[in-house]
Structures are given as C-alpha cells and as structure tokens.
Amino acid sequence: MAKLSTAELIDAFKELTLLELSEFVKEFETTFDVTAAAPAAVVAAGPVGAAPAAAEEQDEFDVVLESAGDKKIQVIKVVREVVSGLGLKEAKELVEAAPKALLEKVDKEAAEAAKEKLEAAGAKIAIK
C-alpha cells in the first residue's frame, strides 16, 4: 500500500460526510487505543483554609434541541444552516433524535444566535 501524504489524507477526509468521519474517528480510536477528546483541564487546589475563589462566569455553552415542534422541515433546514457540514439525512436524523446537543462549547453570542434562529423555525431549544 502506498503511503499517503498529509495533504492527500486531508483531501480524502474532505470528501467524507460528518457521519462517515465520526465512524472513522471511532475506528481509529479503537484500533490505536487512543482518544480524540480534548484533555480535561487540571484544577489545582488552593491551600487548606484559603477562601474559595469566586465562580468564573461560564464562557462555553451547549445548544440543545429539545424538540422540533410542529414545523419539523423548517427546523431541519435551520439545523443544516447552524451545524456546518450536515447533509439533509444527517440533519433529519439529528432532529428526530431530540433531545440532542446541536452545538457544544460555543461562545454565548453563537449560542444565542443559533437559539434565535431555531426558535424562529419552531424548535424548542435549551442553552446549557
């Protein structure tokens, strides 16, 4: 088997759908016994008796589709717009699997914009 260059691999990945790429990542993780998840941040404990630090304001939000409502087709169209790289089939499956996270770890402005668009289409959305 010929060795593929990094550019050739990237070109091959560009041709995959989001679901195919997800299946590839799972197979890669299984085959090489690794994980593609970002490492969790390590939090150092302060000295004993120190006052607890003020809670930091949340800066990452998840946009969760609770239900599609009565206008499922419009919601599917907006989901394709909000979640990049989704085909019609993937968007439909995502909407039908509600409650389901559509966007994860996005900033507040992006979460609010997505919520506004989806609610205008008739979906019920929660931001966590």
Side-chain angles (χ1 to χ4, degrees):
M1 182 171 139
K3 185 175 179 181
L4 298 175
S5 70
T6 303
E8 291 170 330
L9 284 171
I10 296 296
D11 288 339
F13 289 139
K14 286 180 183 178
E15 294 176 12
L16 297 176
T17 66
L18 194 56
L19 290 176
E20 291 170 334
L21 191 55
S22 175
E23 289 172 5
F24 169 77
V25 169
K26 288 177 187 173
E27 184 64 29
F28 187 89
E29 289 174 338
T30 303
T31 302
F32 295 103
D33 194 27
V34 295
T35 181
V42 177
V43 179
V48 177
E56 292 183 27
E57 184 177 335
Q58 182 177 354
D59 61 349
E60 291 183 338
F61 298 88
D62 294 342
V63 179
V64 179
L65 174 68
E66 296 294 328
S67 72
D70 296 334
K71 302 176 182 178
K72 187 173 162 184
I73 293 173
Q74 287 84 347
V75 172
I76 291 171
K77 289 178 183 179
V78 176
V79 165
R80 287 187 66 200
E81 179 183 325
V82 171
V83 182
S84 62
L86 285 184
L88 183 59
K89 180 182 176 191
E90 292 88 0
K92 180 178 182 269
E93 290 171 353
L94 194 61
V95 169
E96 290 175 346
K100 188 78 171 174
L102 298 178
L103 299 172
E104 296 178 339
K105 298 182 180 180
V106 295
D107 61 19
K108 187 173 186 173
E109 292 80 26
E112 290 294 333
K115 179 180 180 183
E116 186 176 310
K117 286 181 183 179
L118 288 160
E119 285 181 342
K124 290 188 172 93
I125 300 299
I127 295 182
K128 298 180 181 180

